[in-house]
Amino acid sequence: MRILENEKIIVQIADLGAELCSVLDKESGAERIHNADPKVWNRHAPLLFPFVGKVIDGVYRVEGKEYPMPLQHGFARDYVLECVEKSFKKVVHKLVSTKETKEMYPFDFELLVTHELDEENPRVLNIQWEVKNTGENTMYYFIGGHPGFTTEEKDPKAKEEYYLEFVGKDNITYFGVNEESGFAAPTETKTLALDEGRVKFHPDIYITLIFDEPKFQAVRILRPDKTPYITMECSQFTNFGIWTKEEGNYICLEPWMGRTDDHGFTGEIGEKTGVQRLKAGESKIITHSIEFHK
């Protein structure tokens, strides 16, 4: 476990999946990240790569050839990443393609995952992903975050008194998943009724909310008194998800580049919604930040 610390927060990141496992507020003594209770949800904040969500029938296609991807959200979250840089302010992990990964995902890649405490605001954690195509062919990939933020109350029902705020938005549409297949249903859009950009976290949100091309500057979790609790700056992302379980005292804010398959999708990887592309030798840096308000 790698530890970052300043005067406000203590952050723990595991080598397994480069997963953010804990953010302890030093002033209040409160833990801000879900504890991975296996009775509720056995993750803290998994890294999603090289897929976000599931692929239909556990297979996908690249230039007519099928590859197995039985795992939801790809495989990075279940691999131990090499720690290549560490200090009390910054830690960098690396994952590279191997013979084993290429059996599931036929691309040569290098992924660098950076967690760094902000120099100006001690309550902000900056997260950066750098994806490199180290092969000779165009690389297709998806990447995302899945952090679960605990509420201040242990009672799971208490989160229904919290709010979501979509910064700069007057209205917003979303969709869920097809009840039969569990895959995305983008033709069944709904509208969140926002009041000054806010909506109360009501029981109807006990499904995955999916936003395509969200163009959010930031998304916030607000306390019951409408003061900020968590702010995620996520302006770079092409897709976004919000998810929880009724029995859990956490809310997941999920910045994505790409997402799960549409219900009934049978096309190639390059036709998937939000797919990212890198030519041979190219790389891309994707960033977001999380503020843990006092």
Side-chain angles (χ1 to χ4, degrees), residues 99-266:
K99 182 179 179 181
E100 181 181 36
T101 66
K102 291 184 74 172
E103 291 178 357
M104 296 181 285
Y105 180 68
F107 301 105
D108 292 301
F109 69 87
E110 179 179 290
L111 172 64
L112 293 173
V113 181
T114 301
H115 291 85
E116 185 172 17
L117 296 174
D118 194 78
E119 292 184 359
E120 297 182 0
N121 186 339
R123 288 188 165 275
V124 169
L125 177 66
N126 296 313
I127 300 168
Q128 176 180 291
W129 305 318
E130 183 174 3
V131 186
K132 300 180 181 180
N133 180 355
T134 58
E136 298 178 352
N137 301 313
T138 297
M139 172 181 163
Y140 300 92
Y141 71 96
F142 307 80
I143 192 166
H146 196 322
F149 301 105
T150 61
T151 56
E152 293 180 300
E153 302 80 12
K154 293 184 179 180
D155 180 5
K157 292 288 288 183
K159 65 176 173 286
E160 295 176 16
E161 298 302 316
Y162 282 66
Y163 292 80
L164 297 171
E165 181 180 7
F166 301 88
V167 178
K169 291 287 186 178
D170 296 321
N171 58 74
I172 192 166
T173 59
Y174 71 95
F175 54 90
V177 297
N178 179 277
E179 293 184 3
E180 177 184 348
S181 68
F183 289 93
T187 60
E188 301 172 19
T189 59
K190 299 179 181 180
T191 299
L192 281 179
L194 301 181
D195 179 10
E196 297 182 346
R198 301 186 294 261
V199 61
K200 202 167 189 180
F201 196 92
H202 49 81
D204 289 350
I205 301 180
Y206 291 147
I207 60 170
T208 301
L209 303 189
I210 301 173
F211 305 87
D212 278 355
E213 299 185 9
K215 299 180 181 178
F216 301 148
Q217 181 64 35
V219 179
R220 290 194 181 105
I221 300 173
L222 305 179
R223 294 180 172 95
D225 65 1
K226 299 182 181 178
T227 59
Y229 182 58
I230 298 289
T231 295
M232 177 180 285
E233 188 285 320
C234 51
S235 58
Q236 192 175 356
F237 290 84
T238 59
N239 311 84
F240 200 87
I242 295 174
W243 175 79
T244 187
K245 283 188 173 181
E246 186 172 358
E247 63 270 30
N249 68 324
Y250 66 88
I251 300 168
C252 290
L253 303 182
E254 305 183 38
W256 299 334
M257 303 295 280
R259 59 163 172 79
T260 193
D261 279 355
D262 287 345
H263 172 69
F265 178 79
T266 59

Side-chain angles (χ1 to χ4, degrees), residues 5-16:
E5 183 174 0
N6 59 25
E7 66 270 29
K8 299 296 183 183
I9 57 176
I10 302 174
V11 177
Q12 296 185 47
I13 299 112
D15 290 344
L16 178 62

